[in-house]
Each structure stands twice: as structure tokens, then as C-alpha cells.
Amino acid sequence: MIKPGRFIVVEGLEGAGKSSAIATIRNWLQQHQIQVVCTREPGGTPLAEQLRTLVKQIDNNEQLAPETELLLMYAARVQLLTNVIRPALSRGDWVLADRHDMSSRAYQGGGRQLDELLINNLRSTVLGNTRPDLTLYLDIDPAVGLSRAAARGELDRIEQEQLAFFVRTRQKYLQIAATEPDIVSIDASQPLAAVQQAIVSALNDYFSGQADG
Ligand SMILES: Nc1ncnc2c1ncn2[C@@H]1O[C@H](COP(=O)(O)OP(=O)(O)OP(=O)(O)O)[C@@H](O)[C@H]1O
Ligand SMILES: [Mg+2]
């Protein structure tokens, strides 16, 4: 029987260092000769990438209602789970995700303050029992993260939100991370080398003995 792969998620605000963390984790997986499929959310399939464009674009003629934003995120997530994540895990590949469900809980739940019951219903239907084995949450002050992200170029619709939106989002992230044992919080305001070291030790702690079969 094929041993199912593991599901690792990287979370955090814009500019927290998720893309940098993904590179570190890919390296670690490569050293352990583990096949990995990398995903990003929203996105990761052709249709989900179109939904990503819709969610990020700035349309001055029609505001995107918060509930629409939430549903588009979950629509994209269903596509990705069905077509990419679950098939990869059942082949025995590992999945490395740049954002997943925790983002919706933090941004749409915390940032947009949408009804938790609605979000929880979507979560249980859409996720089923596909849950991350390990989530690395990169914690950053939103002002610091946004200034890192802004240095990279133009800001999208969500990135243009007021600071208060990201403060609420971070609060929700921290609240979730504090109560769920499979989420490891990393102080992402540290220099990159220290963040990388924290990531590698979390991987070693979490998957000791599992990575080699
Ligand atoms: N620990 C760090 N200290 C200082 N700068 C960092 C650190 N980590 C990443 N950076 C820099 O900050 C910028 C944003 O990092 P990165 O792209 O990894 O963040 P991200 O979380 O993927 O952002 P986004 O949400 O926009 O995709 C990059 O220029 C990166 O080199
Ligand atoms: Mg990134």
C-alpha cells in the first residue's frame, strides 16, 4: 500500500516571507528525496487561477461583496483539493501549499468579519478530512509585511486594504495558531537566516522518522 504523502501549509500576511519559506522547505524535502507538489491559493488549477485573478483585480465599476470573496476562495479551494492536492497525497507525494484554509479563516473571518458559522460550514464541506499535517504560520507586524510586499511592486485589491483590516487578520491568525497543535508559529520579523533555521527545526521535530518512509 502506498503511504499517503504529508500536507504542509505555509501561512502569513503579505510580505511575511511565505515564498522564501517555500524555497527552504523544498530544499529540505529534496534532501530527504521526497517528491513534492507545490500549490498556491487561491489558484493552482487553470480555473482556480482565473478565480484568483477575479479576487485580486480592482474593479471600480463593481465592488466585490465580502461573501462573494469568501465563496470564490472556497470555489478555488475545491478545484485545487479535488484536482491536485488529494490526488498527490494519495500517490504518496507530499504537498507544499503557499496558503490554504487558514487564510480564509484569518482574512475573511478576521479581516472581513464574516459569520464564523458560514465559514465553518464551508470548511467542513469543502475540506472533508483532508487537513494539513503541519502549518507553519509566519507571524509579522502588518506594517512590516506590507512594506516588504510593496517594495516588490503594485498592490492588488486585498493588499490595498486599510492597516486595520490586516491587524484584525493577524489577530485571527494568532488566535487560531494558539489553539491548534499542528500549527507552528514562527517570528517572521527575524533575519531570514533565523527564520530559515526555525523552519528547518520545525520540520525536523514534526517529521522525525517519517520523512524516510
Ligand atoms: N526574514 C526576512 N527579513 C527581511 N526580509 C525578508 C525576510 N523574509 C523575506 N524577506 C523579503 O521580503 C519580501 C517578501 O517576502 P516573500 O515574497 O517571501 O513574502 P510572501 O509572504 O511570499 O509575500 P506575498 O504574500 O506577497 O506572496 C521579499 O523581498 C523577501 O526577500
Ligand atoms: Mg509569496
Side-chain angles (χ1 to χ4, degrees):
M1 202 184 88
I2 297 173
K3 195 175 165 196
R6 303 273 156 184
F7 185 10
I8 304 174
V9 176
V10 178
E11 284 282 356
L13 294 176
E14 4 290 298
K18 297 179 294 301
S19 300
S20 315
I22 298 276
T24 304
I25 300 168
R26 278 186 88 129
N27 233 329
W28 184 90
L29 290 166
Q30 208 165 25
Q31 281 165 17
H32 290 83
Q33 278 111 42
I34 296 170
Q35 285 287 339
V36 66
V37 171
C38 292
T39 64
R40 69 167 182 181
E41 290 194 35
T45 80
L47 178 59
E49 286 291 326
Q50 290 186 44
L51 296 172
R52 180 188 181 92
T53 305
L54 288 178
V55 160
K56 284 180 167 274
Q57 79 187 3
I58 297 158
D59 184 342
N60 293 321
N61 296 315
E62 184 178 0
Q63 291 274 324
L64 193 66
E67 289 80 1
T68 311
E69 178 181 288
L70 177 75
L71 294 169
L72 290 175
M73 295 295 188
Y74 276 96
R77 188 160 300 129
V78 178
Q79 290 304 113
L80 185 67
L81 277 162
T82 307
N83 296 318
V84 179
I85 295 179
R86 290 193 186 109
L89 294 173
S90 42
R91 280 198 305 271
D93 292 349
W94 288 40
V95 172
L96 175 54
D98 187 335
R99 296 191 181 279
H100 184 58
D101 193 62
M102 193 184 186
S103 284
S104 292
R105 300 167 77 189
Y107 282 77
Q108 282 74 48
R112 303 270 183 239
Q113 301 177 289
L114 285 169
D115 181 18
E116 201 153 327
L117 207 59
L118 170 62
I119 298 178
N120 285 339
N121 281 334
L122 284 167
R123 295 187 69 216
S124 64
T125 307
V126 166
L127 305 181
N129 50 21
T130 308
R131 303 295 166 116
D133 292 286
L134 171 66
T135 298
L136 295 167
Y137 164 60
L138 301 171
D139 184 55
I140 194 82
D141 181 313
V144 176
L146 287 168
S147 72
R148 284 183 191 169
R152 220 183 19 217
E154 244 172 72
L155 299 178
D156 67 36
R157 190 184 59 87
I158 294 177
E159 289 166 347
Q160 286 193 358
E161 281 294 331
Q162 301 292 314
L163 193 61
F165 169 84
F166 295 103
V167 170
R168 287 195 302 273
T169 303
R170 183 195 195 189
Q171 269 168 0
K172 184 60 91 175
Y173 261 136
L174 286 168
Q175 190 189 321
I176 299 167
T179 55
E180 298 185 14
D182 51 352
I183 302 173
V184 173
S185 281
I186 291 171
D187 175 2
S189 69
Q190 303 175 88
L192 188 57
V195 174
Q196 286 170 334
Q197 214 167 57
I199 290 168
V200 168
S201 23
L203 293 171
N204 287 332
D205 287 353
Y206 221 83
F207 297 114
S208 59
Q210 298 180 24
D212 302 309

